Amino acid sequence: ETGVTQSPTHLIKTRGQQVTLRCSSQSGHNTVSWYQQALGQGPQFIFQYYREEENGRGNFPPRFSGLQFPNYSSELNVNALELDDSALYLCASSPNVQGAVYGYTFGSGTRLTVV
Amino acid sequence: GQSLEQPSEVTAVEGAIVQINCTYQTSGFYGLSWYQQHDGGAPTFLSYNALDGLEETGRFSSFLSRSDSYGYLLLQELQMKDSASYFCAVNRGNNRLAFGKGNQVVVIP
């Protein structure tokens, strides 16, 4: 059991650029959720992927998009970066869509800084 | 709509007991989770309460009162490694968690 792995750990981008963040879910987990955590705040739900389909989305604009692959790994893409996108991006996996009940396994996140 | 209220910070000595409160206001409620997050680390699942009452897991216990829209996390026999941020999160039944702002616990010798 390797847990959730995210890459890269840190990233600096310029306003207007695009970024792709990657997540490998824990072995046996088919559901991946992405959260954005601003400094000093709790994580905010971006979206969830289950069996390669988006399965719920939070209040984030369309420039936030994602993918899930057949091996259940996932990507988060953010276009037209804004300064307010600077945050810790967390990936969380669960063995099914009931992660909210049985607990998510989170990765350590990608710290994105937009300058 | 929804809101989760958590006090911001508490300092306590090793061996003490700390209670972290969480009040919520939400249009849908299925349960309340608690997560621990060390600085720069991954949030770690601690507990989930779907029904009223107390759930005990080792040194940590979590309580829920649905009628009061209130829950708390009780940390007993505090250890230095318990220094972290603690978040309550509402399960609104739509495959997502709504987290509060968190409460930082600082344990001193």
Side-chain angles (χ1 to χ4, degrees):
Chain A
E1 207 172 87
T2 57
V4 175
T5 305
Q6 292 188 242
S7 63
T9 55
H10 294 82
L11 199 55
I12 300 175
K13 288 286 191 178
T14 304
R15 189 172 48 183
Q17 285 188 311
Q18 178 266 342
V19 69
T20 297
L21 310 181
R22 294 179 173 83
C23 171
S24 293
S25 59
Q26 181 168 313
S27 177
H29 287 191
N30 61 17
T31 305
V32 171
S33 302
W34 287 91
Y35 285 80
Q36 179 196 66
Q37 186 176 23
L39 202 60
Q41 302 294 314
Q44 299 296 309
F45 176 77
I46 303 175
F47 42 55
Q48 181 184 84
Y49 278 84
Y50 171 63
R51 293 185 175 179
E52 303 177 59
E53 298 286 332
E54 188 177 288
N55 186 45
R57 187 180 182 93
N59 294 325
F60 282 81
R63 58 189 185 84
F64 285 77
S65 63
L67 283 174
Q68 187 179 33
F69 301 98
N71 66 355
Y72 304 129
S73 65
S74 178
E75 286 182 355
L76 165 64
N77 300 289
V78 187
N79 294 321
L81 282 167
E82 300 177 359
L83 296 179
D84 284 350
D85 296 333
S86 295
L88 181 67
Y89 288 85
L90 294 163
C91 173
S93 73
S94 55
N96 51 51
V97 295
Q98 295 298 313
V101 175
Y102 299 108
Y104 288 108
T105 301
F106 278 86
S108 295
T110 294
R111 172 71 64 186
L112 173 65
T113 302
V114 182
V115 298
Chain B
Q2 60 167 12
S3 66
L4 284 88
E5 298 293 329
Q6 287 187 263
S8 56
E9 182 174 320
V10 61
T11 300
V13 297
E14 276 186 291
I17 299 173
V18 163
Q19 179 173 316
I20 303 168
N21 299 314
C22 175
T23 58
Y24 58 88
Q25 184 177 5
T26 180
S27 55
F29 181 85
Y30 284 74
L32 189 71
S33 296
W34 289 92
Y35 282 80
Q36 177 195 62
Q37 186 179 31
H38 289 98
D39 273 351
T44 303
F45 175 73
L46 295 177
S47 67
Y48 180 76
N49 294 66
L51 304 175
D52 286 359
L54 189 69
E55 296 278 346
E56 298 180 78
T57 309
R59 296 186 296 112
F60 295 176
S61 303
S62 57
F63 172 83
L64 176 66
S65 169
R66 295 174 69 117
S67 59
D68 294 323
S69 298
Y70 165 75
Y72 68 72
L73 179 70
L74 194 68
L75 315 180
Q76 301 180 79
E77 301 172 23
L78 275 177
Q79 301 177 6
M80 296 297 290
K81 67 178 180 180
D82 298 331
S83 292
S85 292
Y86 293 84
F87 295 90
C88 62
V90 167
N91 174 14
R92 297 180 60 203
N94 52 2
N95 306 319
R96 69 194 69 179
L97 290 174
F99 283 83
K101 291 185 177 181
N103 183 306
Q104 186 172 7
V105 173
V106 177
V107 182
I108 58 177

